[in-house]
Amino acid sequence: MLLRGRPRALGAAALLLLLLLLIGFFLFGGDPDCELGGEREARRGEGGGGDPGSVPGSPTPRVPSDGRLRPRGAAAFDGVPLADPGGHNRSDCIPPPPLPKCELLQVAIVCAGHDSSRDVVTLVKSLLFYRKNPLHLHLVTDAVARNILEMLFHTWMVPAVQISFYNADELKPQVSWIPNKHYSGLYGLMKLVLPSALPPDLARVIVLDTDVTFASDIAELWALFAHFSDKQAIGLVENQSDWYLGNLWRNHRPWPALGRGFNTGVILLRLDRLRQAGWEQMWKLTATRELLTLPATSLADQDIFNAVIKEHPWLVQPLPCIWNVQLSDHTLAERCYSEASDLKVIHWNSPKKLRVKNKHVESFRNLYLTFLEYDGNLLRRELFGCPCPPPPGAEQLQQALAQLEEQDTCFEFRQQRLTVHRVHITFLPHKPPPAQPHDVTLVAQLSMERLQMLEALCRHWPGPMSLALYLTDAEAQQFLRFMETSAVLSARQDVAYHVVYREGSLYPINQLRNVALAQVLTPYVFLSDIDFLPAHSLYDYLRASIEQLELGGRRKAALVVPAFETLHYRFRFPSSKAELLTLLDAGSLYTFRYHEWPQGHAPTDYTRWREAQAPYRVQWAADYEPYVVVPRDCPRYDPRFVGFGWNKVAHIIELDAQEYELLVLPEAFTIHLPHTPSLDITRFRSNPTYRDCLRALKDEFHQDLSRHYGAAALKYLTALQQPRGPA
């Protein structure tokens, strides 16, 4: 019995010892796999002395394949320490409290110009894709970016997203005294003034550069506020390069920083604490002192943030490196992670952007391109379980859609009219010409299939243009690449391109025209179509005609530009009216659609035009649809006409009803080039239901015309009694 019991006792003792060791490890040793491994290192720093200007603990632990952060001891990169300024209130093992499901997350972004506005769209797509919480975006913008983004978010109509704009120009005086060599210019310094620029009752905000891409839910980043001590006010990821060590090249002298310093592409700000600490005075005093010996900032606000943190290290809470993986020219970001799938935020902080060198850049680039070309319409989804007020206009839109009957054979037409398309105006950099009293902008719309017309149009029309393009998100990027490779198009800065994102099966032709028309800056517009080439001299001739006819006063006139067509893909474009008449007589040119739809342009009276030496007046007639020059405040196109048919006819009726004179210009002409038929015209020709729906839309238009103009509309109703084909 004694021999049998002794092994049992020894085994029990060993088991008890192992249990005690495990309990002691978890009570006193900590969990080596915790995310923010700083408290243990802070205790070491307090007990063991060391450099008071450095902080033990690494904010850039490596991410192993299981996706969990592991602390790497006191060295961040290559033995260079980076501080835990607080040295307390940082838990290795206690995860942050769960985020309330529907808490409103606050995000601030500084954005200026056309290119930066496009970057914001891609960033916001990545945010919306992963988010489960309502968002409030605080956008500090110049006038250009505000004009673009205000229209974009108004038409995007994303649920549970609030937008507030702040005028960057009003903030410039607060930072304009700081010399800055960074390519971001003054706007790269504006994050410094956010505590005073944002609403005083706003306590916390995440600040993002426009060149970051999210690969995770931003709520996880917001949850890191829980790791802040009572004094910490700024959450940052360590700078992932040797920039602030000053050893990149000879005589390299960076601004002061703790160790490698911090990168400000992703910032968590406790605005309330910064205000209490006197942040404005703090950063201004630091910047003023450093600029006595340094000529300028090299990395904009980041230099000043780091200099302040060097002087006041208790302000900063280091964040895990995966929340700002920096792809700069001298990046050491690969030391942060072991697998690209571990990352949360990619930061394209090199001027080379997607062309930066990194062994994982292909994976990062694919993530970025996914959101660049992602269909933004899919992000209009409601947040599950989070009741939020609908976007402006959404309730009225839903009520209008609810009144439609899906059994109606024309449901597709009526639904398309009510569709709110996302609109990105001035998609590319645009420099409008100086204001001139008689200037004219060519207005047209197109889809991807007509993109090849742009270069020829630019050669024929040297004046400003406003063009609406109906594209998918992916096609918008193809268009961008097409523009970059075209010497003709990239040389033109006076052409404004407005992307209307595709949604629905019918081409919203009049909605596109209205978008382009609304963005015109000149007093007059030439309402054209993309498959027409104007005479080379037409731009100058129109401006001279407007001045001679004194249209700037009370006289309301629509100047008719006679339209012709060729059936040849290659032909010699006439340089004058005389040459055009020669081609017309030879059968190389025809009056536009004379063989298919003669009533569309017959009132122009081409016989009279051949001999005319001065503008002459013509009368409106049924189905007349000339191309005209009118003031930019002319009536808008009727959006009910989608697809093919009657879209221009209805607009000319509106002009006539508002008593515009129709004046034909004797030396003006534009020529239609042949192309494959559009999908909508093919459907019109082959589908009787399509034609029936067009007639129904015409009848509704007549009824609205009568209600609006009363007895004056009788002539249109009488003239249109006879059944005719559409224009």
Short mmCIF file of all heavy atoms in Angstrom, two decimals, residues 72-111:
data_model
loop_
_atom_site.label_atom_id
_atom_site.label_comp_id
_atom_site.label_asym_id
_atom_site.label_seq_id
_atom_site.Cartn_x
_atom_site.Cartn_y
_atom_site.Cartn_z
N ARG A 72 7.50 43.28 -28.70
CA ARG A 72 8.88 42.94 -29.07
C ARG A 72 9.87 43.54 -28.08
O ARG A 72 11.01 43.81 -28.41
CB ARG A 72 9.18 43.47 -30.46
CG ARG A 72 8.31 42.89 -31.54
CD ARG A 72 8.66 43.46 -32.88
NE ARG A 72 10.04 43.21 -33.22
CZ ARG A 72 10.72 43.90 -34.13
NH1 ARG A 72 10.14 44.89 -34.75
NH2 ARG A 72 11.98 43.62 -34.39
N GLY A 73 9.44 43.79 -26.84
CA GLY A 73 10.36 44.33 -25.87
C GLY A 73 10.55 45.81 -26.04
O GLY A 73 9.74 46.50 -26.61
N ALA A 74 11.67 46.32 -25.56
CA ALA A 74 11.87 47.76 -25.53
C ALA A 74 12.25 48.33 -26.87
O ALA A 74 12.16 49.53 -27.09
CB ALA A 74 12.94 48.11 -24.51
N ALA A 75 12.68 47.52 -27.81
CA ALA A 75 13.15 48.06 -29.08
C ALA A 75 12.05 48.01 -30.10
O ALA A 75 11.44 46.98 -30.33
CB ALA A 75 14.35 47.27 -29.57
N ALA A 76 11.82 49.14 -30.74
CA ALA A 76 10.83 49.19 -31.80
C ALA A 76 11.41 48.66 -33.09
O ALA A 76 10.94 47.70 -33.66
CB ALA A 76 10.33 50.60 -31.98
N PHE A 77 12.45 49.30 -33.59
CA PHE A 77 13.16 48.84 -34.78
C PHE A 77 14.65 48.93 -34.48
O PHE A 77 15.15 49.98 -34.07
CB PHE A 77 12.87 49.72 -36.00
CG PHE A 77 11.48 49.60 -36.51
CD1 PHE A 77 10.72 50.74 -36.76
CD2 PHE A 77 10.93 48.38 -36.77
CE1 PHE A 77 9.44 50.63 -37.26
CE2 PHE A 77 9.65 48.27 -37.27
CZ PHE A 77 8.90 49.40 -37.51
N ASP A 78 15.39 47.84 -34.72
CA ASP A 78 16.85 47.85 -34.63
C ASP A 78 17.35 48.43 -33.31
O ASP A 78 18.34 49.18 -33.27
CB ASP A 78 17.46 48.67 -35.78
CG ASP A 78 17.19 48.00 -37.12
OD1 ASP A 78 16.96 46.79 -37.12
OD2 ASP A 78 17.21 48.71 -38.15
N GLY A 79 16.67 48.15 -32.22
CA GLY A 79 17.16 48.60 -30.93
C GLY A 79 16.91 50.05 -30.61
O GLY A 79 17.35 50.54 -29.58
N VAL A 80 16.19 50.78 -31.46
CA VAL A 80 15.88 52.17 -31.16
C VAL A 80 14.64 52.21 -30.29
O VAL A 80 13.56 51.79 -30.71
CB VAL A 80 15.65 52.97 -32.45
CG1 VAL A 80 15.28 54.41 -32.11
CG2 VAL A 80 16.89 52.93 -33.32
N PRO A 81 14.76 52.68 -29.04
CA PRO A 81 13.59 52.64 -28.15
C PRO A 81 12.59 53.72 -28.50
O PRO A 81 12.94 54.78 -28.99
CB PRO A 81 14.21 52.89 -26.77
CG PRO A 81 15.44 53.70 -27.05
CD PRO A 81 15.95 53.23 -28.39
N LEU A 82 11.35 53.43 -28.22
CA LEU A 82 10.30 54.42 -28.33
C LEU A 82 9.47 54.35 -27.08
O LEU A 82 9.24 53.30 -26.51
CB LEU A 82 9.43 54.17 -29.55
CG LEU A 82 8.42 55.26 -29.84
CD1 LEU A 82 9.13 56.56 -30.15
CD2 LEU A 82 7.54 54.87 -31.01
N ALA A 83 9.01 55.50 -26.62
CA ALA A 83 8.53 55.60 -25.25
C ALA A 83 7.08 55.25 -25.08
O ALA A 83 6.27 55.44 -25.96
CB ALA A 83 8.77 57.02 -24.78
N ASP A 84 6.78 54.79 -23.88
CA ASP A 84 5.42 54.80 -23.36
C ASP A 84 5.36 55.97 -22.40
O ASP A 84 5.76 55.86 -21.26
CB ASP A 84 5.10 53.49 -22.64
CG ASP A 84 3.76 53.53 -21.93
OD1 ASP A 84 3.06 54.55 -22.07
OD2 ASP A 84 3.43 52.54 -21.25
N PRO A 85 4.94 57.14 -22.87
CA PRO A 85 5.08 58.34 -22.07
C PRO A 85 4.32 58.30 -20.77
O PRO A 85 4.74 58.88 -19.79
CB PRO A 85 4.54 59.44 -22.99
CG PRO A 85 4.53 58.83 -24.34
CD PRO A 85 4.33 57.38 -24.14
N GLY A 86 3.22 57.62 -20.70
CA GLY A 86 2.44 57.62 -19.47
C GLY A 86 3.04 56.70 -18.44
O GLY A 86 3.10 57.00 -17.26
N GLY A 87 3.49 55.52 -18.88
CA GLY A 87 4.05 54.56 -17.95
C GLY A 87 3.01 53.95 -17.04
O GLY A 87 3.33 53.26 -16.10
N HIS A 88 1.73 54.20 -17.31
CA HIS A 88 0.70 53.65 -16.45
C HIS A 88 -0.62 53.67 -17.21
O HIS A 88 -0.73 54.24 -18.27
CB HIS A 88 0.57 54.45 -15.15
CG HIS A 88 0.24 55.89 -15.38
ND1 HIS A 88 1.18 56.81 -15.73
CD2 HIS A 88 -0.95 56.56 -15.31
CE1 HIS A 88 0.61 58.00 -15.87
NE2 HIS A 88 -0.68 57.87 -15.63
N ASN A 89 -1.60 53.00 -16.60
CA ASN A 89 -2.95 52.95 -17.18
C ASN A 89 -2.98 52.34 -18.57
O ASN A 89 -3.82 52.66 -19.37
CB ASN A 89 -3.58 54.35 -17.23
CG ASN A 89 -3.95 54.85 -15.86
OD1 ASN A 89 -4.09 54.05 -14.94
ND2 ASN A 89 -4.09 56.15 -15.71
N ARG A 90 -2.00 51.48 -18.85
CA ARG A 90 -2.05 50.73 -20.11
C ARG A 90 -2.11 49.27 -19.77
O ARG A 90 -1.21 48.75 -19.14
CB ARG A 90 -0.81 51.03 -20.96
CG ARG A 90 -0.76 52.44 -21.46
CD ARG A 90 0.42 52.61 -22.38
NE ARG A 90 0.30 51.72 -23.51
CZ ARG A 90 1.30 51.45 -24.33
NH1 ARG A 90 2.45 52.00 -24.16
NH2 ARG A 90 1.12 50.63 -25.35
N SER A 91 -3.11 48.59 -20.19
CA SER A 91 -3.30 47.19 -19.82
C SER A 91 -2.77 46.28 -20.90
O SER A 91 -3.09 46.40 -22.06
CB SER A 91 -4.78 46.90 -19.59
OG SER A 91 -4.98 45.53 -19.42
N ASP A 92 -1.91 45.33 -20.50
CA ASP A 92 -1.44 44.32 -21.44
C ASP A 92 -2.54 43.34 -21.78
O ASP A 92 -2.58 42.81 -22.88
CB ASP A 92 -0.28 43.52 -20.82
CG ASP A 92 1.04 44.26 -20.95
OD1 ASP A 92 1.02 45.38 -21.47
OD2 ASP A 92 2.06 43.70 -20.53
N CYS A 93 -3.36 43.03 -20.82
CA CYS A 93 -4.20 41.85 -20.96
C CYS A 93 -5.69 42.13 -20.94
O CYS A 93 -6.48 41.26 -21.25
CB CYS A 93 -3.89 40.87 -19.83
SG CYS A 93 -2.14 40.46 -19.77
N ILE A 94 -6.08 43.33 -20.53
CA ILE A 94 -7.51 43.63 -20.49
C ILE A 94 -7.91 44.25 -21.81
O ILE A 94 -7.43 45.32 -22.17
CB ILE A 94 -7.83 44.60 -19.34
CG1 ILE A 94 -7.39 43.98 -18.00
CG2 ILE A 94 -9.31 44.93 -19.32
CD1 ILE A 94 -7.57 44.90 -16.82
N PRO A 95 -8.75 43.58 -22.58
CA PRO A 95 -9.15 44.15 -23.88
C PRO A 95 -10.01 45.38 -23.67
O PRO A 95 -10.58 45.57 -22.59
CB PRO A 95 -9.95 43.01 -24.53
CG PRO A 95 -10.47 42.22 -23.37
CD PRO A 95 -9.43 42.30 -22.30
N PRO A 96 -10.08 46.26 -24.68
CA PRO A 96 -10.93 47.45 -24.54
C PRO A 96 -12.39 47.04 -24.39
O PRO A 96 -12.80 45.98 -24.86
CB PRO A 96 -10.70 48.20 -25.85
CG PRO A 96 -10.21 47.17 -26.80
CD PRO A 96 -9.44 46.19 -25.99
N PRO A 97 -13.16 47.86 -23.70
CA PRO A 97 -14.58 47.52 -23.55
C PRO A 97 -15.25 47.45 -24.91
O PRO A 97 -14.84 48.14 -25.84
CB PRO A 97 -15.13 48.69 -22.71
CG PRO A 97 -14.17 49.81 -22.94
CD PRO A 97 -12.83 49.17 -23.13
N PRO A 98 -16.25 46.60 -25.03
CA PRO A 98 -16.94 46.50 -26.33
C PRO A 98 -17.57 47.83 -26.70
O PRO A 98 -18.13 48.53 -25.85
CB PRO A 98 -17.99 45.42 -26.10
CG PRO A 98 -18.18 45.37 -24.60
CD PRO A 98 -16.85 45.72 -24.01
N LEU A 99 -17.47 48.16 -27.96
CA LEU A 99 -18.03 49.42 -28.44
C LEU A 99 -19.54 49.33 -28.50
O LEU A 99 -20.08 48.35 -29.02
CB LEU A 99 -17.49 49.72 -29.83
CG LEU A 99 -17.72 51.12 -30.37
CD1 LEU A 99 -16.88 52.13 -29.62
CD2 LEU A 99 -17.41 51.16 -31.86
N PRO A 100 -20.24 50.33 -27.95
CA PRO A 100 -21.71 50.31 -28.11
C PRO A 100 -22.08 50.18 -29.58
O PRO A 100 -21.50 50.85 -30.44
CB PRO A 100 -22.12 51.67 -27.52
CG PRO A 100 -21.03 52.01 -26.56
CD PRO A 100 -19.78 51.46 -27.16
N LYS A 101 -23.05 49.35 -29.82
CA LYS A 101 -23.34 48.95 -31.19
C LYS A 101 -23.59 50.11 -32.13
O LYS A 101 -23.13 50.11 -33.26
CB LYS A 101 -24.54 48.00 -31.19
CG LYS A 101 -24.89 47.46 -32.57
CD LYS A 101 -26.02 46.46 -32.50
CE LYS A 101 -26.34 45.91 -33.87
NZ LYS A 101 -27.46 44.95 -33.83
N CYS A 102 -24.31 51.10 -31.69
CA CYS A 102 -24.70 52.18 -32.59
C CYS A 102 -24.06 53.51 -32.22
O CYS A 102 -24.59 54.57 -32.57
CB CYS A 102 -26.22 52.32 -32.62
SG CYS A 102 -27.06 50.87 -33.30
N GLU A 103 -22.92 53.47 -31.55
CA GLU A 103 -22.24 54.72 -31.19
C GLU A 103 -21.81 55.46 -32.45
O GLU A 103 -21.30 54.86 -33.39
CB GLU A 103 -21.02 54.44 -30.32
CG GLU A 103 -20.29 55.71 -29.89
CD GLU A 103 -19.14 55.44 -28.94
OE1 GLU A 103 -19.00 54.29 -28.49
OE2 GLU A 103 -18.38 56.38 -28.64
N LEU A 104 -21.99 56.77 -32.45
CA LEU A 104 -21.61 57.61 -33.59
C LEU A 104 -20.10 57.85 -33.54
O LEU A 104 -19.58 58.39 -32.57
CB LEU A 104 -22.37 58.93 -33.54
CG LEU A 104 -22.08 59.94 -34.66
CD1 LEU A 104 -22.52 59.39 -36.01
CD2 LEU A 104 -22.80 61.27 -34.37
N LEU A 105 -19.41 57.44 -34.59
CA LEU A 105 -17.96 57.61 -34.67
C LEU A 105 -17.64 58.89 -35.43
O LEU A 105 -18.20 59.13 -36.50
CB LEU A 105 -17.32 56.41 -35.36
CG LEU A 105 -17.71 55.03 -34.84
CD1 LEU A 105 -16.86 53.95 -35.53
CD2 LEU A 105 -17.56 54.94 -33.33
N GLN A 106 -16.72 59.67 -34.88
CA GLN A 106 -16.36 60.97 -35.45
C GLN A 106 -15.04 60.85 -36.21
O GLN A 106 -14.05 60.36 -35.66
CB GLN A 106 -16.22 62.02 -34.33
CG GLN A 106 -17.38 62.06 -33.36
CD GLN A 106 -18.60 62.77 -33.94
OE1 GLN A 106 -18.51 63.47 -34.96
NE2 GLN A 106 -19.75 62.62 -33.29
N VAL A 107 -15.03 61.33 -37.45
CA VAL A 107 -13.84 61.23 -38.31
C VAL A 107 -13.59 62.58 -38.96
O VAL A 107 -14.51 63.19 -39.52
CB VAL A 107 -14.03 60.15 -39.41
CG1 VAL A 107 -12.78 60.06 -40.29
CG2 VAL A 107 -14.33 58.80 -38.79
N ALA A 108 -12.35 63.05 -38.90
CA ALA A 108 -11.98 64.32 -39.52
C ALA A 108 -10.97 64.08 -40.63
O ALA A 108 -10.04 63.27 -40.48
CB ALA A 108 -11.40 65.28 -38.48
N ILE A 109 -11.15 64.80 -41.74
CA ILE A 109 -10.28 64.68 -42.91
C ILE A 109 -10.05 66.08 -43.47
O ILE A 109 -11.00 66.85 -43.61
CB ILE A 109 -10.90 63.79 -44.00
CG1 ILE A 109 -11.23 62.40 -43.45
CG2 ILE A 109 -9.97 63.66 -45.20
CD1 ILE A 109 -12.07 61.55 -44.38
N VAL A 110 -8.80 66.39 -43.79
CA VAL A 110 -8.47 67.63 -44.48
C VAL A 110 -8.32 67.32 -45.96
O VAL A 110 -7.59 66.39 -46.34
CB VAL A 110 -7.18 68.27 -43.94
CG1 VAL A 110 -6.84 69.54 -44.71
CG2 VAL A 110 -7.32 68.57 -42.45
N CYS A 111 -9.01 68.07 -46.80
CA CYS A 111 -9.04 67.76 -48.24
C CYS A 111 -9.07 69.05 -49.04
O CYS A 111 -9.87 69.95 -48.76
CB CYS A 111 -10.27 66.92 -48.56
SG CYS A 111 -10.53 66.62 -50.32
#
